[in-house]
Structure formats: structure tokens, C-alpha cells
Amino acid sequence: MTGFLGQALIYVVPFLFVLTFIVTIHELGHFLVARAFGVKIDRFSIGFGKALLSRTDKRGVEWRLGWIPLGGYVKFSGDLDPSSVPDQKGLAELKSRVIAEHGPGAERDFFHFKPVWQRALIVFAGPAANFLLAAALFTVLFSVIGEQVVAPRVGAVTAGSPAASAGFKPQDLITAVNGRPVREASEVTGIVILSAGDPLRFTVQRGEQTVQLTATPQRQVETNEIAGTVRVARIGLVLAPLRQDFSFRRLNPIEAAGKGVTVIGDTVSSTFRYIGRIFVGKESGDLLNGPLGIAKAAGGVTKQATAVEAAPQVVAFYLALTLVQFAALVSIGMGVVNLLPIPVLDGGHLVFYGYEAVARRPVPARVQEVGYRVGLALLAGLMLFATWNDLQKLSLFKFLGGLA
């Protein structure tokens, strides 16, 4: 029992803490922009299901903490349609009911009767809040630890690997990939991981010479504490920088914010590239994570941070920085997922509002209903796929004959 409780503290508690924090910021984005536009709001809930805690403020907004801590929502007054985009008939019925209950003109305070650009901004504010949160966390992170650049120096080349066939040698310094300059080892790793089966042209500094080498990344199975068991593309290089390959500088808040924005841009770009490669069959989707995978990652970074041999206050500080970085990355992921053009997500609502802005009328109810059902099926399928990935990474299917 003690071991189980210890595992729960390491994996579940950090996951729920980070997820709740990020969801709260996401919903606050919707809430604050809606409040700025004068929208009447019934409820702000963190978590689903019955309320553990509930309080209604002087504006009539119920602030609720649900017992299922895996999401949250903002409920606008009159928001009865599951897709939150009623058609013309639904708007007429809602308007009649609002006027009958609250008097003429009261409908102007309801979300569905706001101009389409205001509704779009309210919906977009949730994902935007996630990106702003990530930017703020990265600003804090880079302000505290500064910027350390580790040059991509080759330490060893695996025999028989694509890198060996390409002619890489120890102490080679990679300066560009496919003509794109690289400064950090992490840049090279990121490019290789998303290029399985695609030849990559490396520009290498070898002593006084500049050499062009071509290697094609191949997938291999790897296991680590954070990601679990995954198949990732590698070319067979071990990057091991020399003393002169390290550089460090402290960043002021403006520089730290700029660095944070750059990291967000690179992360979003890599995410969409990875998703695109899944659709064209170039990636298996192994790196997609569901709740179990995120919880495992949260536990992994927690264990790594607390394994540092140092004074308790140093360990606590290192753990805090690690969770800040983890929360920033998860927040970016939540922002990206919510912008996908699936009707049950914010991105799907934005598609509906785009149609309304052009056609001057809401999307017909039948189209919305079909879109909602298809979107729900797509989202459920994505979650099942991600959860299957999570279970395989945790090696829970080994008894089935090596599926993991």
C-alpha cells in the first residue's frame, strides 16, 4: 500500500496539478474575454460532475470545483445547444424565451447574440490563453536559468548505422541540416526525429574542412523513464560536446520572452509537421500521448528532479523549474489540440463562425448535428489511439505476444 501511495504521489499528483492549472488558465481566457464583451455567464467550472465546492458571486456566476478533475468549462447563459452554435431557428426560439423572461433588449447580453467577431474572439481566447501561459512560463524559466547553447558535436558513431554509412566521424561539428543552420544539439535531434525515411543533408565542420554528408534516419525502439517505449527516428550519432562547445548567457526579461516565443513557434511547427506526417503515412503516431502518457511524463520529470543529490531546498527549486517547463509544453499542446478544426473543439467553433461571417447566417442545424457527431467520433478515436499508445509504452500488452 505504501508503494502504491508513493507511485500515486509521483505520477498522479503532479499530473493533476499541472492539468488543473492549465485548464483553469484556458477557461479563464474564455471567461475574461466574454466578461469584457458583457456576456452573461452562468458557471465557471474546473472539473466535471457533481460539485465538491461551489460559490455564486454577486454577478450570479457560479464558481464550481467538480469531482472529476480532467477538464473544465464556462457555461454562458442560454447555452443549451451542445455545439454552442444554434442555427437561425434556434436563435429565434432563444431570443423569444430571453425576452419573455428578462424583457426586450436582454438578449444583447447573451453570447449567441453578440457579433460574430466577438464570439470568435471569445472562443479563440482559450487556446490563446494557453500560448500566453506558455510564453509567461518560458519567460520565467529563461530569466532564471538563462540560455545555454550546446553545439552539436559528434562524440561517437554507431557501427552499421546510417551515420556510419554517410561517413560521420567523431569530433565532427554539425553546422547545418538541409541548408538550415543549427546551433544546438537539440535542433539536430528534433529534425532527425521528424524525418524517418527522408534523406537529410548535413553540413559538417571537420577541422578546417567543410564536408557535406547525407544520412537517412531509421526508426528504432527506445525506452526511457519519461516517454516509455517508443519508436523514434535516429541516424546513429551520439552527440558529446567538448568544453568549447558550451556557451551560456543570462537573459533579461525581454530576451527571455523572445526566447520563449521562439520555443513556442518551434514546438507548434514541429507538432503540426508530425501530425501531417501521420496523415501521409510517414509516422506511426507513437509519440502521441493521452492522459496516461502525460501522467507518466509528469511522474518521470518529477522522479528525475527529486533524484538530484543536493540540499532539500535545491531539490525543491529544481523540481519547480522542471514542472514549469513541463507545464509550458503541456499548455502548448492543449492550445494546439483545441485549435484543430473539429466541431466539438474551439477550432471547430471558429470554422462555424467563419462560415457565418461569410454567409451572413449560422451553419444549418442539420450540418451542425452531423459535424458534431463526426467531430465527437474523431475526438474519441484520437483519444482511444493515444490511450492505446500509452498502454503499449507502459508495456501492459507484453502478455499478448510482444505488441509492446
Side-chain angles (χ1 to χ4, degrees):
M1 178 61 72
T2 303
F4 174 78
L5 291 177
Q7 291 297 310
L9 287 174
I10 291 175
Y11 288 93
V12 178
V13 173
F15 166 66
L16 291 180
F17 174 77
V18 170
L19 181 65
T20 301
F21 174 58
I22 293 171
V23 168
T24 300
I25 297 301
H26 178 95
E27 298 303 331
L28 274 175
H30 293 309
F31 179 86
L32 293 176
V33 175
R35 176 65 61 83
F37 289 136
V39 175
K40 186 175 175 58
I41 301 170
D42 288 342
R43 180 182 299 153
F44 183 100
S45 178
I46 298 302
F48 299 107
K50 293 184 178 180
L52 292 176
L53 297 173
S54 178
R55 184 181 70 85
T56 301
D57 64 22
K58 61 183 180 181
R59 297 192 182 189
V61 180
E62 178 193 7
W63 297 82
R64 170 187 289 198
L65 180 64
W67 71 277
I68 304 176
L70 293 175
Y73 62 92
V74 176
K75 184 180 184 300
F76 302 120
S77 296
D79 193 4
L80 301 178
D81 189 271
S83 68
S84 298
V85 189
D87 65 353
Q88 285 182 314
K89 181 180 178 181
L91 285 173
E93 292 175 354
L94 178 59
K95 184 175 182 179
S96 298
R97 179 164 58 83
V98 170
I99 291 176
E101 294 178 1
H102 304 283
E107 73 277 5
R108 290 193 292 268
D109 294 333
F110 284 66
F111 174 79
H112 297 298
F113 300 104
K114 294 293 182 179
V116 66
W117 66 270
Q118 291 187 8
R119 282 177 278 143
L121 284 177
I122 292 169
V123 168
F124 180 71
N130 286 129
F131 294 124
L132 288 175
L133 171 62
L137 294 178
F138 278 131
T139 299
V140 171
L141 195 65
F142 290 125
S143 294
V144 172
I145 65 174
E147 179 186 38
Q148 178 172 285
V149 176
V150 181
R153 176 83 63 179
V154 176
V157 181
T158 303
S161 67
S165 299
F168 276 96
K169 296 181 179 180
Q171 309 243 331
D172 282 348
L173 178 65
I174 301 171
T175 59
V177 181
N178 286 343
R180 169 189 165 187
V182 292
R183 297 175 57 224
E184 302 185 54
S186 59
E187 291 182 86
V188 176
T189 302
I191 294 171
V192 169
I193 286 176
L194 293 179
S195 302
D198 297 338
L200 296 177
R201 181 169 47 85
F202 295 86
T203 303
V204 172
Q205 191 69 36
R206 181 177 294 166
E208 300 297 324
Q209 293 182 314
T210 298
V211 182
Q212 300 291 332
L213 305 174
T214 300
T216 302
Q218 297 176 349
R219 289 193 188 93
Q220 64 184 50
V221 177
E222 294 182 0
T223 301
N224 65 60
E225 191 172 35
I226 295 177
T229 302
V230 294
R231 288 176 296 170
V232 295
R234 301 292 189 195
I235 59 172
L237 288 180
V238 177
L239 299 179
L242 303 175
R243 184 186 298 271
Q244 66 266 27
D245 296 324
F246 289 90
S247 63
F248 173 82
R249 69 186 183 99
R250 295 205 172 274
L251 302 178
N252 61 45
I254 294 177
E255 291 174 325
K259 177 71 174 176
V261 170
T262 299
V263 172
I264 292 172
D266 290 343
T267 304
V268 171
S269 175
S270 297
T271 300
F272 279 115
R273 183 183 174 197
Y274 182 70
I275 293 173
R277 287 174 62 84
I278 292 175
F279 279 105
V280 299
K282 290 188 175 183
E283 294 290 345
S284 63
D286 274 10
L287 300 182
L288 287 179
N289 284 323
L292 291 176
I294 298 173
K296 177 175 174 54
V301 298
T302 301
K303 288 176 71 174
Q304 284 188 356
T306 54
V308 176
E309 295 184 3
Q313 59 268 30
V314 175
V315 173
F317 179 71
Y318 182 57
L319 175 60
L321 291 180
T322 302
L323 288 179
V324 164
Q325 183 180 24
F326 180 71
L329 293 173
V330 174
S331 189
I332 295 171
M334 181 173 290
V336 169
V337 168
N338 272 280
L339 285 177
L340 294 176
I342 300 175
V344 293
L345 300 175
D346 294 332
H349 292 153
L350 291 174
V351 171
F352 284 161
Y353 294 145
Y355 171 88
E356 183 178 343
V358 174
R360 304 289 183 175
R361 63 178 183 275
V363 176
R366 184 167 182 80
V367 175
Q368 289 190 45
E369 182 180 356
V370 171
Y372 181 75
R373 290 178 178 177
V374 171
L376 191 60
L378 285 173
L379 188 61
L382 180 63
M383 289 301 298
L384 286 172
F385 178 72
T387 301
W388 176 266
N389 270 347
D390 293 342
L391 294 174
Q392 285 192 296
K393 292 172 192 174
L394 294 173
S395 299
L396 295 184
F397 292 131
K398 281 187 176 179
F399 68 94
L400 294 177
L403 286 178

